[in-house]
């Protein structure tokens, strides 16, 4: 009977975090309680109860100044207020993904949206999200319920973190017909999708599927249902004690998965129990023949020989030459007593007993492993032996393989020498046993990791959010910023409040910066960012030193058909319209001013909203002449002069 364990199973991040936080509370002074079961697993809850952490369902039964642990499903805002009133020490173990869903519901409500919570009505997580929507949210669990909703102008949608992604999308499709405007916060945890997909992949291949987890756990029950729908016989169990050997008679393959609230020790108990069933159901004496590969247990080690129990009449032996390549000086260097290994039967009738080979078995098994890894897109470890023409030569499971230079990293790497000697994870992309050829790729693994990271990062981002990032790439039109595994673009116009000729004037590769998210395109996986919007526009500070009517100096920076732009100080420019260049008629702006020329202007208007300043050269000249004439008049007062005194000479020539 073959047993296959799901790649993604057991504790998710939120549950693991909650259990760890509760564990740290053991031994604290005073009474310690969890508000509701810490997670949906009775075995874990009992373990904590045995260590003094009791479950309560209401804060009214908690003594003042006690410690209360908020479970991973979260609570509403009124619970925090009550806890503060009772002077309780609160250990908040709410899953970060649930916190995000709660915050999304609160923000959507504040923005005037009718909040729809997609999830199970009686699930504690959904109840907590509902409370964060001021209990005004509408809980929708099925497509039918969504279809019964009336037309609502603005809908904001959040979802239970462990809800089925497929069902959620179907409900969203219905909700889109029920509103004029919709905002969707897809708060399903990525780990939930991975766990469900991993279980489905196995369920389609096995005769029986074991789903381990609390009967009261929604996500575990959903796993069981998904596996059943995939066509597998399913047993939903909480512990290994529920297993019966007769249920597996004649079964060839068994799959094992577990819900997000199932601890590793429960999964291990089930796995060990199934191994015991394997021995009970398959207790025939092993039939050996030359050339067969079997598993054996090392029962003795000499310097030049290893003895292996393969369940036959007697023990088999492995020489140093058949133990490893290259042959070690001492067998103890490569194996240890009690170790389980694969061996190839070389000779059953030798005078020296049964002769076995680990080297040849490893090679055969390695090809099997590599072919399976190729078919199922599994990963293998390989050590980089040397850099060769066009890529890397590696050792994978004792077989030589090749990694093309284009498959080493996400982007082409010119110098591959730093990889020499490293043991890395690869995925086979070509395996040919006959030609003894293995081609591996690290790039496909990195691409998948980036895809998962992108999905997770995109789910956390929102327009208007300020995030930290690192400058990864600079191009003529802007800079690409890494904001958690994905790159966003800061266009050159969003790098600074003043004009920038080149992005290098503002940023350099490796700079740590804070940026504002301007736009998110989930389909194209593109994010538009702004560096300048993080800080206040310096123009607004600089303009405070100027006022309408002031006479100032500036430099002509640009000439257009309709006027000239004047820089008052770096960062502050104003426009002198053609009509304000001179009192006389102007045909061309160049006839009056030239780029680089210093001029005196009068400020006619300042528009802070539009960041525009209107200037005038002619009015500045008029004001200057007016001041000069007034000064002249002031000097003439009290001198006794008359108009005749000043202009009399004009009449003398007529006498």
């Amino acid at each position: 009977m073959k047993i296959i364990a799901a790649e993604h199973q057991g504790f998710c991040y939120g549950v693991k975090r909650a259990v760890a936080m509760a564990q740290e509370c053991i031994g604290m002074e005073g009474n310690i309680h969890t508000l509701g079961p810490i997670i949906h697993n009775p075995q874990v809850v009992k373990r904590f109860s045995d260590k003094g952490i009791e479950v309560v369902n209401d804060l009214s039964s908690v003594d003042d100044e006690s410690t209360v642990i908020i479970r991973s499903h979260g609570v509403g805002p009124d619970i925090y207020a009550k806890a503060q009133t009772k002077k309780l020490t609160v250990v908040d173990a709410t899953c970060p993904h649930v916190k995000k869903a709660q915050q999304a519901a609160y923000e959507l409500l504040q923005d005037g949206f009718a909040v729809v919570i997609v999830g199970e009505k009686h699930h504690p997580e959904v109840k907590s999200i509902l409370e964060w929507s001021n209990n005004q949210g509408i809980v929708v669990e099925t497509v039918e319920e969504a279809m019964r909703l009336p037309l609502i102008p603005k809908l904001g949608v959040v979802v239970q973190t462990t809800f089925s992604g497929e069902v959620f999308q179907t409900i969203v499709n219905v909700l889109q017909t029920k509103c004029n405007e919709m905002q969707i916060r897809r708060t399903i945890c990525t780990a939930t999708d991975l766990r469900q997909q991993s279980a489905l992949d196995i369920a389609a291949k096995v005769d029986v599927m074991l789903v381990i987890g609390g009967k009261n756990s929604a996500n575990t029950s959903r796993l069981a249902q998904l596996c059943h729908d995939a066509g597998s016989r399913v047993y939903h169990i909480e512990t290994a004690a529920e297993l019966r050997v007769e249920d597996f008679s004649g079964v060839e393959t068994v799959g094992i998965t577990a819900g997000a609230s199932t601890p590793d020790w429960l999964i291990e108990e089930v796995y060990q129990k199934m191994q015991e069933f394997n021995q009970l159901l398959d207790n025939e004496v092993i039939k050996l023949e030359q050339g067969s590969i079997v598993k054996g247990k090392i029962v003795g080690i000499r310097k030049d020989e290893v003895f292996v129990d393969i369940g036959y009449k007697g023990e088999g032996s492995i020489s140093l030459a058949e133990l490893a390549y290259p042959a070690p000086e001492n067998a103890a260097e490569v194996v240890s007593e009690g170790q389980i290994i694969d061996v190839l039967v070389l000779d059953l009738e030798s005078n020296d007993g049964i002769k076995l080979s680990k080297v040849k078995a490893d090679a055969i098994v390695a090809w099997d492993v590599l072919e399976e890894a190729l078919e199922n897109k599994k990963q293998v470890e390989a050590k980089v032996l040397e850099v060769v023409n066009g890529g890397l030569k590696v050792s994978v499971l004792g077989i030589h393989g090749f990694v093309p230079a284009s498959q080493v990293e996400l982007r082409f790497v010119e110098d591959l020498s730093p990889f020499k000697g490293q043991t890395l994870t690869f995925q086979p992309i070509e395996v040919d046993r006959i030609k003894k050829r293995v081609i591996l790729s690290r790039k496909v693994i990195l691409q998948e990791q980036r895809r998962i990271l992108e999905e997770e990062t995109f789910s956390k981002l929102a327009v208007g959010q300020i995030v930290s990032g690192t400058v990864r790439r600079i191009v003529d039109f802007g800079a690409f910023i890494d904001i958690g595994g994905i790159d966003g673009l800061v266009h050159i116009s969003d790098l600074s409040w003043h004009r920038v000729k080149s992005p290098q004037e503002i940023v350099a590769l490796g700079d740590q910066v804070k940026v504002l998210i301007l736009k998110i395109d989930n389909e194209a996986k593109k994010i538009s960012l702004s560096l300048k919007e993080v800080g206040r526009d310096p123009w607004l500070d600089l303009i405070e030193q100027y006022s309408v009517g002031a006479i100032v100096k500036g430099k002509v920076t640009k000439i257009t058909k309709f006027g000239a732009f004047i820089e008052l100080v770096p960062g502050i420019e104003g426009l002198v319209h053609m009509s304000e260049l001179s009192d006389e008629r102007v045909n061309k702006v160049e006839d009056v001013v030239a780029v680089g020329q210093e001029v005196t202007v009068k400020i006619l208007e300042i528009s802070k909203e539009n960041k525009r300043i209107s200037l005038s050269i002619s009015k500045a000249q008029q004001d200057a002449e007016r001041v000069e004439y007034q000064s002249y008049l002031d000097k003439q007062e009290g001198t006794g002069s008359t108009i005749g005194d000043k202009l009399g000479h004009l009449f003398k020539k007529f006498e």
Side-chain angles (χ1 to χ4, degrees):
M1 182 169 58
K2 186 177 181 181
I3 302 170
I4 306 173
E7 182 180 359
H8 301 282
Q9 60 175 329
F11 278 177
C12 66
Y13 167 73
V15 170
K16 188 179 295 184
R17 175 177 174 271
V19 171
M21 292 175 74
Q23 190 74 30
E24 291 175 358
C25 293
I26 295 174
M28 289 175 59
E29 292 185 5
N31 297 325
I32 307 171
H33 305 280
T34 62
L35 188 57
I38 184 71
I39 60 173
H40 279 162
N41 185 278
Q43 289 73 35
V44 172
V45 173
K46 185 178 183 304
R47 281 197 170 192
F48 279 121
S49 178
D50 293 341
K51 294 180 181 180
I53 300 180
E54 296 293 341
V55 177
V56 295
N57 294 315
D58 192 278
L59 289 184
S60 61
S61 57
V62 178
D63 294 336
D64 289 1
E65 300 184 356
S66 298
T67 296
V68 63
I69 304 170
I70 305 297
R71 59 182 173 171
S72 58
H73 301 104
V75 295
D78 60 322
I79 295 295
Y80 294 96
K82 290 178 183 177
Q84 186 175 12
T85 302
K86 291 175 69 68
K87 298 181 180 179
L88 300 178
T89 298
V90 175
V91 177
D92 194 354
T94 304
C95 170
H97 294 292
V98 175
K99 283 272 192 187
K100 179 184 170 186
Q102 293 172 343
Q103 187 64 28
Y106 175 80
E107 290 173 353
L108 287 169
L109 184 68
Q110 299 302 308
D111 291 341
F113 287 85
V115 179
V116 170
I117 305 164
V118 179
E120 298 161 73
K121 287 184 175 63
H122 302 296
H123 196 282
E125 176 191 327
V126 174
K127 291 180 179 179
S128 76
I129 298 171
L130 182 61
E131 290 176 13
W132 279 96
S133 72
N134 200 25
N135 289 310
Q136 296 179 33
I138 306 167
V139 180
V140 173
E141 189 169 345
T142 65
V143 175
E144 291 73 19
E145 291 177 358
M147 294 177 69
R148 289 198 294 268
L149 287 179
L151 181 65
I152 303 173
K154 293 176 63 176
L155 271 185
V157 183
V158 296
V159 58
Q160 180 182 336
T161 60
T162 56
F163 201 74
S164 166
E166 184 177 352
V167 177
F168 171 68
Q169 188 55 54
T170 306
I171 291 174
V172 166
N173 292 341
V174 174
L175 292 177
Q176 286 176 332
T177 67
K178 300 287 184 177
C179 64
N180 300 324
E181 180 182 356
M182 177 184 285
Q183 276 201 20
I184 302 171
R185 305 290 177 85
R186 193 183 190 280
T187 48
I188 295 177
C189 178
T190 306
T192 299
D193 289 337
L194 291 174
R195 185 182 297 103
Q196 291 178 358
Q197 189 56 53
S198 181
L200 284 171
D201 291 344
I202 295 175
K205 304 174 186 175
V206 299
D207 301 317
V208 174
M209 195 73 188
L210 297 180
V211 181
I212 313 166
K215 299 290 176 60
N216 62 336
S217 169
N219 75 84
T220 308
S221 298
R222 191 173 296 109
L223 276 179
Q225 186 61 49
L226 287 171
C227 294
H228 179 271
D229 294 343
S232 179
R233 192 199 321 169
V234 178
Y235 294 137
H236 181 177
I237 61 173
E238 287 189 354
T239 68
E242 297 175 54
L243 296 171
R244 300 185 308 170
V245 66
E246 56 265 31
D247 291 335
F248 301 92
S249 179
V251 173
E252 293 184 0
T253 53
V254 175
I256 298 178
T257 189
S261 302
T262 308
D264 291 343
W265 56 270
L266 274 178
I267 300 172
E268 182 61 27
E269 283 181 2
V270 171
Y271 187 83
Q272 292 300 326
K273 191 75 171 180
M274 292 305 302
Q275 294 285 34
E276 293 173 16
F277 286 178
N278 241 343
Q279 294 179 359
L280 291 171
L281 294 168
D282 189 17
N283 56 4
E284 297 179 5
V285 176
I286 296 174
K287 297 177 182 179
L288 286 185
E289 58 183 26
Q290 189 170 319
S292 61
I293 294 178
V294 295
K295 286 192 178 294
K297 181 179 181 180
I298 297 176
V299 293
I301 299 176
R302 292 180 182 172
K303 182 178 180 181
D304 58 352
E305 193 173 22
V306 173
F307 297 98
V308 183
D309 179 5
I310 55 174
Y312 197 55
K313 306 175 203 175
E315 297 170 353
S317 64
I318 306 174
S319 66
L320 288 179
E322 297 295 341
L323 184 63
Y325 178 81
E329 294 184 4
N330 190 325
E333 295 175 7
V334 291
V335 291
S336 57
E337 196 163 324
Q339 184 179 348
I340 305 297
I341 59 173
D342 290 305
V343 291
L344 175 73
V345 179
L346 298 176
D347 193 343
L348 287 169
E349 307 299 334
S350 167
N351 294 331
D352 297 324
I354 303 168
K355 294 297 182 183
L356 308 171
S357 173
K358 182 178 181 295
V359 169
K360 292 182 174 63
D362 286 346
I364 295 172
V365 171
W367 283 106
D368 291 340
V369 172
L370 287 171
E371 287 174 344
E372 183 190 1
L374 175 67
E375 181 181 353
N376 299 315
K377 296 182 178 179
K378 290 185 176 180
Q379 300 173 9
V380 294
E381 282 193 346
K383 183 174 182 178
V384 180
L385 302 177
E386 57 181 309
V387 178
V388 295
N389 186 27
L392 302 173
K393 183 179 179 181
V394 301
S395 174
V396 52
L397 302 172
I399 296 173
H400 283 171
F402 177 69
V403 183
S406 62
Q407 298 297 317
V408 176
E409 283 283 0
L410 288 171
R411 295 187 178 91
F412 183 77
V413 179
E414 193 73 38
D415 182 14
L416 297 175
S417 57
F419 293 97
K420 185 176 180 180
Q422 291 191 45
T423 298
L424 303 169
T425 303
F426 299 93
Q427 186 174 308
I429 54 177
E430 183 182 344
V431 177
D432 192 326
R433 190 190 294 247
I434 296 174
K435 295 181 180 179
K436 305 295 183 187
R437 182 167 63 197
V438 179
I439 309 296
L440 304 166
S441 171
R442 184 164 171 261
K443 181 178 181 178
V444 293
I445 298 174
L446 297 175
Q447 286 175 331
E448 178 61 14
Q449 290 174 349
R450 184 173 67 177
R451 183 191 68 78
I452 294 172
L453 184 59
E454 278 183 351
E455 288 185 359
E456 189 173 329
T457 303
F458 265 92
S459 69
K460 297 176 182 177
L461 299 178
V463 172
Q465 186 178 354
I466 294 177
V467 294
S468 298
T470 305
V471 179
R472 294 297 185 204
R473 193 155 55 101
I474 298 176
V475 292
D476 291 341
F477 53 84
F480 287 93
I481 313 296
D482 181 344
I483 54 172
I486 57 176
D487 287 351
L489 172 66
V490 179
H491 191 267
I492 191 169
S493 61
D494 288 304
L495 281 170
S496 176
W497 289 104
H498 61 269
R499 286 195 183 91
V500 175
K501 292 182 179 179
S502 168
Q504 284 88 344
E505 296 177 23
I506 307 299
V507 293
L509 289 176
D511 281 356
Q512 301 295 313
V513 295
K514 287 188 180 294
V515 287
L516 177 80
I517 298 176
L518 297 177
K519 183 180 178 183
I520 299 175
D521 187 336
N522 286 295
E523 290 186 7
K525 298 299 181 189
K526 291 182 178 179
I527 300 177
S528 298
L529 306 170
S530 173
L531 185 63
K532 70 180 185 182
E533 293 286 352
V534 174
R536 175 179 164 86
D537 186 349
W539 189 93
L540 297 174
D541 295 324
L542 289 172
I543 200 63
E544 292 297 329
Q545 61 185 298
Y546 297 101
S547 59
V548 173
I551 305 295
V552 294
K553 290 185 179 296
K555 183 183 293 184
V556 179
T557 57
K558 183 179 175 184
I559 291 176
T560 66
K561 290 181 179 180
F562 52 83
F565 285 92
I566 312 298
E567 181 184 68
L568 305 183
V569 292
I572 296 290
E573 275 190 350
L575 172 67
V576 177
H577 192 268
M578 180 181 285
S579 61
E580 297 293 339
L581 285 170
S582 174
D583 289 336
E584 299 177 1
R585 180 179 178 81
V586 177
N587 294 320
K588 291 173 62 179
V589 177
E590 293 90 333
D591 293 341
V592 182
V593 293
V595 173
Q597 178 182 345
E598 188 175 277
V599 294
T600 300
V601 293
K602 181 176 182 177
I603 299 176
L604 302 181
E605 182 185 359
I606 297 175
S607 174
K608 292 184 179 180
E609 294 77 14
N610 301 313
K611 291 177 61 177
R612 282 205 289 258
I613 306 174
S614 297
L615 305 173
S616 173
I617 292 177
S618 62
K619 287 184 173 57
Q621 290 173 341
Q622 289 171 10
D623 284 3
E625 290 172 357
R626 190 177 296 112
V627 170
E628 183 179 356
Y629 181 64
Q630 184 62 48
S631 176
Y632 169 76
L633 293 179
D634 291 344
K635 288 180 181 178
Q636 304 311 311
E637 290 181 5
T639 62
S641 299
T642 65
I643 292 178
D645 294 333
K646 298 297 181 183
L647 304 180
H649 64 285
L650 296 176
F651 299 96
K652 287 183 179 179
K653 62 183 178 180
F654 297 110
E655 293 178 353

